[in-house]
Every structure is written in structure tokens, then in C-alpha cells.
Amino acid sequence: MTAEPNASIETLMSSRPRAHIHLSSIAANWQAIDRLNPTATTAAVVKADGYGLGAAKVSRTLARAGCSTFFVAHFEEGTALRQALGFGPRIFVLNGPTGSHLRTYREADLTPVLSSEEQVELWARAPRGACALHFDTGMNRLGLSSSVLTHRRDELHRLQPVLIMSHLACGDLPDHALNRVQLDRFTEIASAFPDTPASLSASSGCYLGKAYAFDLTRPGIALYGGSTPPETVRLEPTVTLEARILSVFTAKAGETVGYAATHTLEQNTTLATVALGYADGIPRSGGNALIGYLDGTPCPVLGRISMDLITIDVSKAQAEAKSGARVEFLGAHAKLEEQAARAGTLGYELLTGLSNRVERVYP
Ligand SMILES: *Cc1c(COP(=O)(O)O)cnc(C)c1O
């Protein structure tokens, strides 16, 4: 193994991986989804800290772009978002209220999404505020059963919900029969609340056509550049994840790379070791599968992914491969869903998995 000589002290100083967050691209993606369904209001789902990209900054950017409705999962995400946005925008809390939070719901003007009979009862006894009703139309995950509508119709109407919603199980599978089933069930439920806005579609549902848009859409992952939109919809990458090369060297044919020696070199190969690993949120399942890009040149990951290190084959990028050089693991070349697929996962998991060790850099 031959060490690469000319690494300067400066390039060795900051080896922490960086995620450059392109806020203007998030706004552009929101506008692209908004244009798809011009008759519906386009909300923004910013749960899980804006899918890992920073809920406060993302939401302020989207508010400036014209978004006035936001969704988070947890109450605590809701209070933090209210602080970031100030009063005005509507903030829905998908997981609904618990007894100990009722007062803060009112003080922070958060709108709970009620998904169980317990939550309905709790909210009915609370000092009245706006709420949404979430019905399960076939996913069997979260939501009121439609039979509740039969039994407790008046009670539900007395809550004066500001939104009736449901969620598609197969929105990303356009031909799946369950989409139509859920659409029909939801249409019937929504008709019981003729004056209340209705919402069925998350990102993928926005690609299913007008019938699925109702009054409000709830895109999340599409805003961050994920999902698989039709050809006609262009989403911009919203995060460039870069890691520094720590070392460049040549390893000999017949030798192996990394823990458990899972890759055997067929020829003498120039390798680079990069300061990125599963502690940064890169899935271990991406070993021998992910691709890093050095100035746009693909450099396949060889061997297992370690906690802090990944080894890549830089044979095709010898000139650029220097200590301190930055390797792109997400971005214009390393496309989010393609990179995720290489690791057997989805853009959702890759983004929300990026750990705190990855420095977020904003424009
Ligand atoms: C997370 C979530 C969304 C957003 O989903 P994406 O697939 O990221 O667009 C919308 N609605 C509900 C109920 C959700 O839980």
C-alpha cells in the first residue's frame, strides 16, 4: 500500500461529512407539486425535522413561497414549528393529542388530527379548537373506522373539523387496485362532511390524477426530491451529501477490502477511504453497492461500510482522488432514490437517517 503524499494540514482539519441543503430547490419542488393540482391547496409535510433537512428552515422557506399549511407527526414538532413560523400558518399534528398537551394545543394554535375514538372523546371534552378527522380507508395503520361515522356522526360533526383526511397505502404503485378502493371509500366519507375540505394524497398520490387531489394535498418526500414522479414532473435534488477522502492508496490484486473481507480485488486498484459511515446514517446494506461520485465520476463502494469509513474504487478518477477531496454520496449525480435503491431502501429512510454528525450547511 502506497500512501498518497501531498495532503495539506488544512484539508485534514475538517473531515466531518456535510449535507448542503438547497432550500430554493425545496421551494421549487413545492411549486412543481402545487402546479400539478392547481385546484387543491398544497400543504407541506415537515415531520422528522423536515425529513432530516431542518424543519424550521424548510418551513420558513416554504411559507415565503406561499405555503400556509404544515403537517408534523408529534406535538413537540408542532410547538417547535410554531416558534419557527410564528402565528398564522396552520399546523396539523398527525399523531393527535394526549390529555397532558391540551392546553398547549390551544396556546400554540396547533390543530390535532384525531385518528381514534379515544382522541375524539378527549378533544370533545377539551376547550374547543380546530381539529382534523383521519379515517382509515384500507391501509389499516391509523385512522377512525368508517363505522364510527355511522355510530357517532353527530358527535363528529359537533367537533366542526377543518379537514377530513385519509392516507393511501399504495400511492406509489399507480396500478394497484387498492388506490381505487380507498378513493371510493374516502369519497363516501368526505360526502358526509360536504362543507369540510378533504385530503387523501401524500406525494405519490399527487401523481395519480385530479380525482385524488381533493381540496388539499400533503406532499412530504417529493418536496425533498424523493419519490418517483412521472416524466412530466421534474424534482430537483435538495441535498448534496459530501464526505472527505482521508487516504488514497493502491491495493494489490487478490487482496480484500474491509471488515469480513467481503470484496476481493481482481486487479491492482487505487482505493480511497472516505470519512463517512453508518454512524452518519449511511446504511450498512450499502456495502459493495453504493456509489460515491468524485467530480461526477462514479466510484463504487468496495467492501463493508464501517462506522466512520467507507472505501471506494477511484480507478476512474485517479487525478481527482486526493486526500481532502470531497466525494458526493447524495446530490446531482448520486440521485436520492437511486442511491437509496442501491442500499435496498428508500429516499425517506436515507434522508431521515442522516445523523447529527453530518453537518448541515444552508445557503
Ligand atoms: C408522512 C405522511 C405524509 C407525507 O408523505 P410523503 O409520502 O412523504 O409525501 C402525508 N400524510 C400522512 C398521513 C403522513 O403520515
Side-chain angles (χ1 to χ4, degrees):
M1 161 167 151
T2 23
E4 195 262 345
N6 56 2
S8 74
I9 290 293
E10 194 184 320
T11 56
L12 291 175
M13 269 169 49
S14 172
S15 64
R16 203 176 153 200
R18 284 183 161 189
H20 297 267
I21 316 291
H22 313 303
L23 293 172
S24 58
S25 297
I26 297 174
N29 291 342
W30 182 81
Q31 280 154 347
I33 299 296
D34 191 47
R35 277 194 301 274
L36 260 189
N37 293 297
T39 57
T41 298
T42 305
V45 179
V46 296
K47 59 194 180 186
D49 198 22
Y51 290 47
L53 305 188
K57 291 196 171 66
V58 165
S59 303
R60 282 197 291 255
T61 301
L62 292 176
R64 277 195 296 275
C67 180
S68 59
T69 307
F70 296 84
F71 285 84
V72 294
H74 290 281
F75 165 79
E76 291 83 354
E77 295 177 330
T79 53
L81 187 59
R82 178 59 75 207
Q83 287 217 312
L85 286 176
F87 286 92
R90 170 88 70 192
I91 300 173
F92 288 103
V93 179
L94 288 165
N95 287 357
T98 61
S100 54
H101 294 149
L102 289 179
R103 225 183 64 202
T104 315
Y105 262 93
R106 201 174 31 161
E107 287 167 2
D109 190 24
L110 302 177
T111 308
V113 177
L114 310 180
S115 301
S116 69
E117 292 188 70
E118 289 87 341
Q119 289 180 344
V120 165
E121 285 161 19
L122 180 69
W123 198 252
R125 281 186 271 114
R128 200 59 49 81
C131 68
L133 297 179
H134 181 187
F135 289 91
D136 193 308
T137 52
M139 184 169 185
N140 285 303
R141 185 179 69 167
L142 188 62
L144 297 158
S145 128
S146 58
S147 67
V148 179
L149 191 52
T150 326
H151 301 132
R152 314 178 75 155
R153 196 183 182 103
D154 292 345
E155 217 175 319
L156 295 182
H157 276 111
R158 271 200 299 278
L159 292 170
Q160 296 184 300
V162 297
L163 186 72
I164 304 299
M165 60 172 270
S166 187
H167 192 60
L168 295 170
C170 304
D172 58 344
L173 304 167
D175 299 326
H176 202 289
L178 189 52
N179 288 326
R180 188 76 222 183
V181 170
Q182 290 196 264
L183 175 64
D184 291 344
R185 287 178 184 162
F186 185 61
T187 303
E188 188 172 335
I189 291 166
S191 72
F193 301 86
D195 302 324
T196 307
S199 175
L200 178 60
S201 286
S203 297
S204 296
C206 293
Y207 311 142
L208 295 178
K210 265 208 240 118
Y212 288 81
F214 290 86
D215 304 297
L216 181 123
T217 58
R218 309 186 306 270
I221 192 72
L223 310 179
Y224 311 102
S227 77
T228 313
E231 293 270 298
T232 48
V233 182
R234 281 281 140 91
L235 299 178
E236 299 178 15
T238 64
V239 49
T240 302
L241 174 65
E242 292 177 334
R244 299 270 196 186
I245 292 181
L246 295 175
S247 156
V248 181
F249 56 95
T250 303
K252 292 212 166 65
E255 296 199 342
T256 61
V257 182
Y259 281 123
T262 61
H263 180 87
T264 303
L265 297 168
E266 282 169 10
Q267 57 209 28
N268 293 354
T269 308
T270 311
L271 301 178
T273 298
V274 175
L276 187 70
Y278 60 76
D280 302 297
I282 302 301
R284 264 184 92 248
S285 54
N288 287 311
L290 292 176
I291 298 176
Y293 290 80
L294 195 47
D295 272 352
T297 304
C299 301
V301 168
L302 300 187
R304 287 205 175 153
I305 286 167
S306 310
M307 185 186 290
D308 319 302
L309 299 170
I310 292 178
T311 303
I312 58 175
D313 176 350
V314 293
S315 307
K316 299 215 168 73
Q318 304 258 6
E320 296 82 11
K322 297 205 163 58
S323 297
R326 293 170 186 189
V327 182
E328 178 196 303
F329 276 83
L330 284 179
H333 303 97
K335 300 210 168 65
L336 176 63
E337 295 296 353
E338 288 175 14
Q339 194 73 304
R342 291 181 188 117
T345 183
L346 299 169
Y348 297 91
E349 200 175 21
L350 214 47
L351 286 187
T352 59
L354 290 180
S355 76
N356 286 336
R357 200 167 72 175
V358 177
E359 186 188 357
R360 268 68 164 177
V361 182
Y362 294 90

